[in-house]
Amino acid sequence: MKVASVTRLSMLAMLVVLATGSIAYSQWLNNNEVEFTGTVSSFVDNGEGGGTLFVMLDTFEQRVLINPKTILRNYDGSPLAMNQIAKDSIVEVTGKFSPSGVLATIVRVLEEAPESNCFRLRGPITGIEASTEETVVTLLGVKILVTDAATIKMDGEAMTPADLE
């Protein structure tokens, strides 16, 4: 099973979990981990060190699950409580996909949105549907429309959609 990294993805492809035409940025991650940046649209604080953040990624709202093990940090690195994350805050979320949403390991409030407008996802490819003009790749259960504008890399080397397995 090969692992690939897909960046600068078309917004049309994000059928399941994440959108990329948004304030989205991530770093290299392991298998089913994801990191993205978005704007908090609402949250539910369960009062026990956990709850749920709803983070907007362009037009898609991603559910982010917070538990007592989740590290919450302010932009200056200081600890933060769940009830201190305000609506419209820009947050960077690192976590893992789960059936209920992204289970957050770290949530960091940012002072301002990053300049980068890309999203990186790394994991095993579980499906490829190719046509003459575009390819739909399923990666970590996320269906991604790969167009000519997409950058695909594996082990740092540029690839084409036809190279994917």
Side-chain angles (χ1 to χ4, degrees), residues 20 35 42-43 60-62 72 76-77 85 90 95 102 122 131 136 144 152 159 161-162:
T20 61
E35 184 175 316
S42 63
F43 66 91
F60 181 82
E61 187 173 65
Q62 176 62 52
L72 302 174
D76 62 2
I85 300 175
I90 299 168
V102 172
R122 182 177 176 185
S131 71
V136 176
I144 303 164
I152 304 170
M159 299 179 67

Side-chain angles (χ1 to χ4, degrees), residues 3 8 28 32-33 35 45 47-48 53 59 66 71 73 77 80 89-90 96 104-105 109 122 125 136 140 157-158 162:
V3 175
R8 298 181 53 93
W28 294 104
N32 68 341
E33 292 184 358
E35 184 175 316
D45 182 357
E48 299 173 9
L53 288 176
T59 60
I66 308 295
I71 299 168
R73 295 280 184 236
L80 208 56
S89 294
I90 299 168
K96 293 188 176 203
T105 52
V109 175
R122 182 177 176 185
I125 294 172
V136 176
L140 300 175
E157 298 294 321

Side-chain angles (χ1 to χ4, degrees), residues 76-144:
D76 62 2
S78 61
L80 208 56
M82 179 75 178
N83 63 5
Q84 294 175 303
I85 300 175
K87 182 178 185 230
D88 297 327
S89 294
I90 299 168
V91 293
E92 180 181 74
V93 177
T94 302
K96 293 188 176 203
F97 285 117
S98 79
S100 302
V102 172
L103 179 57
T105 52
I106 301 171
V107 174
R108 186 169 60 107
V109 175
L110 303 176
E111 279 189 290
E112 57 187 49
E115 290 182 26
S116 178
N117 190 23
C118 69
F119 172 83
R120 292 185 189 169
L121 181 64
R122 182 177 176 185
I125 294 172
T126 56
I128 298 175
E129 300 167 30
S131 71
T132 55
E133 295 181 12
E134 55 194 34
T135 302
V136 176
V137 176
T138 304
L139 186 68
L140 300 175
V142 178
K143 291 186 182 265
I144 303 164

